[in-house]
Amino acid sequence: MLVGLGSWLIYSQPKLTARLISSRWLLPAALLIFWMAMQSLPLPLSWLQWLSPARGERVEMLNLLAGLQHHFAPLSDQGAASLQQVIMYLGLVIYFISLRILFRIRHSFIHTIAVVIVLVGTFEALYGLFQFLLPQVGILWLQNHTRAAQGTIIYKNQYAALLNMCWPVAVALALTPFGKMPNPSTSRTVRQRIRRILNNLNRETRLALLYLFAAGIMLLAVLFSLSRGGILTMLFILFSLNFILPLSRTTKLIFSCGLLVILGGYSTLLGLETIINRFGSIDQSGLTRLELYQSSLPMLKEHWLTGIGLGSYDLLSPVYLKGFSSTIHFSHAHNEYLEFVLELGVPAALLLFGWLGTLLLVSGKKLSMGSKTVSHFDFEVLLGGVAFSGLLGFFIHGWVDFGWQLPANLVYAVTLAAFLATSLDVLRPRKRSKMKSRESK
């Protein structure tokens, strides 16, 4: 659907598409998708033995033991399954370009998408909190035997990663209406100022309080997902928003206190001891993760150049992981950076992480410089700031969990990237106009 409908939209808007595709930032994405596709295509066995001796040896043993005569095989151990992921990544690139086109054609569409994200996040959060209170509720049609908020997602770490991209958008929507409020300091008495604030809250910013409440509910669901990585990422995003958003200290203090009151009050009612006990076992869990990373290194040593192919960690982990119980199967490395290095190979992984890191650095610099030239309550600027924090948290969370493996999370991350790119487009002409006015003076 993404490839088909997105390609039709791109085809119908040739001028905007040409401007977006010509960007040099999309070249690394095209090279990475090309390499992922090459991993999934069958190659002559002689080429395979030269490029990846370990993979070539496995194919030879397969021919010997099964009495087969495979003369062609892909670099990826998963073959066609890897190609499915390549098509998904291609669809995400087309989805990003499509969003950028739609945001330029219809400016109000970006607000609509932001509201949809908040609605989805609120539904997931409420569903997850019901699961924590009543574990028998389950996950859709599956029985849930653990007391944790998981929403419609089986893995609580992926659930927390999703909500950590949704609640910052609710914060942006909650902050924006306050820019339309008249300054209460023009009133003569304190009573008049309070009355004016209350009147404006009732008339102009009634939705802002709902968005703030939605953000608090999502934060609460992250807490009771019992995902330690998700909780720490949530705190990091809260901390980063205080530096990234171009708001006054008073505004930040008011909203931070509001979120803390919601979190503190409901957390006390639901039971903080469950979260505290969860963090009490972090030492043992951390040691297990380190052992998992170390056991995965022989896989990297034998496939450092070409990688094992997308999704192949699930297949090869029982072969390479030593010292673990045979009843435990690790389908992922619990570290997205390590897993992508294993599956793509060192050269392609360096291109991927270098590209993403450079984009974040450049975007963060432009956002901090450009936000000084606009209103503190400009919606696009606020949305760009929260999108940057959400993406930064998403990448940090990837060090200890596998939230990137859920397609829904990738779609939301790409949506935040489109928000951020649109915000930078809004800041760029305003920055230039300010520079021209200075030169004229």
Side-chain angles (χ1 to χ4, degrees), residues 315-335:
L315 182 66
L316 295 181
S317 60
V319 179
Y320 282 90
L321 299 184
K322 307 298 181 182
F324 293 95
S325 172
S326 58
T327 60
I328 299 176
H329 175 71
F330 290 96
S331 58
H332 297 288
H334 285 269
N335 185 317

Side-chain angles (χ1 to χ4, degrees), residues 16 50 52 57 197 253 269 293 354 362 420:
L16 287 176
W50 179 70
S52 180
E57 182 182 355
I197 291 174
L253 180 63
L269 292 175
Y293 303 157
V362 172
L420 179 57

Side-chain angles (χ1 to χ4, degrees), residues 182-315:
N183 188 358
S185 60
T186 56
S187 302
R188 294 182 179 181
T189 64
V190 175
R191 181 178 297 179
Q192 289 177 344
R193 293 181 184 180
I194 296 175
R195 183 180 301 173
R196 191 167 188 178
I197 291 174
L198 292 176
N199 289 335
N200 284 308
L201 282 175
N202 292 331
R203 184 176 64 252
E204 299 289 343
T205 60
R206 54 187 181 273
L207 287 178
L209 296 178
L210 290 178
Y211 287 130
L212 181 63
F213 181 74
I217 291 296
M218 285 185 265
L219 289 169
L220 195 64
V222 174
L223 277 177
F224 287 98
S225 70
L226 305 183
S227 169
R228 290 163 298 199
I231 295 172
L232 293 176
T233 301
M234 177 193 75
L235 296 176
F236 171 82
I237 295 174
L238 278 171
F239 181 76
S240 66
L241 286 177
N242 284 285
F243 291 92
I244 293 174
L245 293 183
L247 303 174
S248 65
R249 293 182 179 179
T250 303
T251 304
K252 293 176 182 178
L253 180 63
I254 292 173
F255 273 83
S256 297
C257 290
L259 289 175
L260 289 176
V261 167
I262 295 174
L263 281 177
Y266 282 97
S267 297
T268 304
L269 292 175
L270 294 176
L272 280 173
E273 66 277 358
T274 307
I275 302 173
I276 296 173
N277 293 335
R278 177 65 176 167
F279 274 91
S281 61
I282 195 170
D283 292 339
Q284 182 60 38
S285 178
L287 290 175
T288 303
R289 297 283 174 88
L290 290 177
E291 292 174 2
L292 178 62
Y293 303 157
Q294 292 175 355
S295 299
S296 301
L297 293 180
M299 199 184 306
L300 176 61
K301 182 179 179 181
E302 294 185 357
H303 305 85
W304 70 271
L305 180 61
T306 61
I308 60 177
L310 295 174
S312 297
Y313 187 89
D314 185 16
L315 182 66

Side-chain angles (χ1 to χ4, degrees), residues 85 89 157-158 161 289 292-293 310-311 313 331-344 349 352-353 356 393-407 409-410:
Q85 291 197 42
Y89 291 140
N157 298 316
Q158 294 176 336
R289 297 283 174 88
L292 178 62
Y293 303 157
L310 295 174
Y313 187 89
S331 58
H332 297 288
H334 285 269
N335 185 317
E336 297 289 13
Y337 297 89
L338 174 60
E339 189 163 343
F340 270 102
V341 170
L342 292 172
E343 294 184 347
L344 297 180
L352 172 63
F353 301 138
L356 293 176
F394 186 61
F395 292 140
I396 290 175
H397 195 179
W399 281 107
V400 293
D401 284 319
F402 47 94
W404 302 5
Q405 302 298 325
L406 185 68
N409 283 356
L410 294 178

